Amino acid sequence: MLLRLPTSVSEAQECMAEGAVPIGGATLVWAGWQRDGFPERAMSLRNLPAATVVEPEALGAAVVLHSIDDRVPEVLRRAAGSVGTGAVRRTATVGGNIVGSSLRCLLPAALVLDARATVLGPEGAYEADLAEVVAKRHLMIGLRWRTPTVSGYHKQPAAAGGPPPLVVATAVHADGEGRHQLRVAVREGYEVLSETTACDVDTDEVLHALERTDVGALPPAARDQVREQVAGILGSLPGR
């Protein structure tokens, strides 16, 4: 297997045109390759500058989860810290988790940040929403978002090898006029849903508004956890 390490977007495009398979941190593909055979060409973005940034409003797809620290919002940092074991987090990447994994632990965090992905296609790099990235399994270069006022992440404890644990991610953003929007994303099983509502009202009103969305169709235990997380994050808003 020939492993390519492009250092520019144009070089990464050339690798794609040659049929190189993106490997991320290889935590998800290695076992399959050992069983089914290795591809002729593979590609890692770990030497591509745009894919390795860790900034307050940007995160590269080739960043390993262990490297995600307090430079990014709390919701994303805590999501990364909840993935697997320390050994897994030292090799698994942002892009591999969101695009290559069926669990997608980082996806709820990215959704509540209203993040947009930069992806690489045959014609070059362009911006796409996360639903498109996940559905079409694009080659992701990185994520960008606006810094939230507050954010939070909760992942239920679960035994290794069992069903995916419930995840509730929350974030509050302020617009240019100081009005606040609450974003909530929930992973229940393998499905992820997200909703947005105004939150410059009483907490009970916010919760009632969420109940009228797809959040209201979640199982009772999941709805209880959403209510707890929403009440907590709204209670942490400055001046509330």
Side-chain angles (χ1 to χ4, degrees), residues 103 157-165 187 189-190:
L103 296 178
R187 186 188 72 189
Y190 290 97

Side-chain angles (χ1 to χ4, degrees), residues 90-113:
R90 283 190 287 273
T91 55
T93 63
V94 171
N97 183 272
I98 292 177
V99 181
S101 170
S102 60
L103 296 178
R104 301 190 295 270
C105 296
L106 298 188
L107 181 58
L111 287 170
V112 298
L113 291 175

Side-chain angles (χ1 to χ4, degrees), residues 1-238:
M1 180 179 74
L2 174 65
L3 176 63
R4 297 288 302 275
L5 298 167
T7 59
S8 67
V9 169
S10 60
E11 190 179 350
Q13 279 183 270
E14 292 175 8
C15 295
M16 286 183 65
E18 294 169 359
V21 177
I23 65 170
T27 55
L28 298 170
V29 298
W30 196 260
W33 286 351
Q34 288 180 312
R35 181 186 66 245
D36 303 326
F38 288 78
E40 291 185 11
R41 294 181 178 85
M43 170 175 60
S44 168
L45 299 182
R46 66 178 184 236
N47 288 353
L48 181 65
T52 57
V53 298
V54 183
E55 298 175 354
E57 295 189 340
L59 187 62
V63 173
V64 295
L65 305 186
H66 177 74
S67 300
I68 298 176
D69 54 25
D70 59 6
R71 285 172 287 181
V72 305
E74 179 182 356
V75 62
L76 200 49
R77 182 175 72 252
R78 290 177 58 189
S82 76
V83 175
T85 63
V88 168
R89 292 191 293 274
R90 283 190 287 273
T91 55
T93 63
V94 171
N97 183 272
I98 292 177
V99 181
S101 170
S102 60
L103 296 178
R104 301 190 295 270
C105 296
L106 298 188
L107 181 58
L111 287 170
V112 298
L113 291 175
D114 197 25
R116 298 280 294 176
T118 301
V119 300
L120 185 61
E123 305 303 319
Y126 64 96
E127 193 176 87
D129 65 43
L130 290 170
E132 177 185 334
V133 172
V134 171
K136 297 184 178 180
R137 298 177 69 86
H138 288 312
L139 175 57
M140 193 171 81
I141 296 175
L143 297 170
R144 289 194 173 275
W145 60 84
R146 289 187 304 111
T147 299
T149 305
V150 291
S151 65
Y153 186 88
H154 173 80
K155 186 177 185 178
Q156 293 278 66
L166 176 74
V167 166
V168 181
T170 51
V172 175
H173 284 82
D175 65 18
E177 298 179 3
R179 293 171 298 200
H180 293 91
Q181 289 277 326
L182 168 70
R183 289 185 171 86
V184 178
V186 182
R187 186 188 72 189
E188 224 284 316
Y190 290 97
E191 299 300 318
V192 178
L193 66 86
S194 62
E195 297 291 348
T196 303
T197 185
C199 61
D200 287 317
V201 292
D202 181 82
T203 298
D204 286 339
E205 293 183 58
V206 176
L207 293 172
H208 286 315
L210 286 174
E211 284 289 328
R212 294 192 292 270
T213 69
D214 287 345
V215 169
L218 290 168
R223 295 204 311 274
D224 288 345
Q225 193 56 243
V226 169
R227 285 193 287 267
E228 181 177 331
Q229 297 305 310
V230 168
I233 197 169
L234 293 183
S236 70
L237 272 175

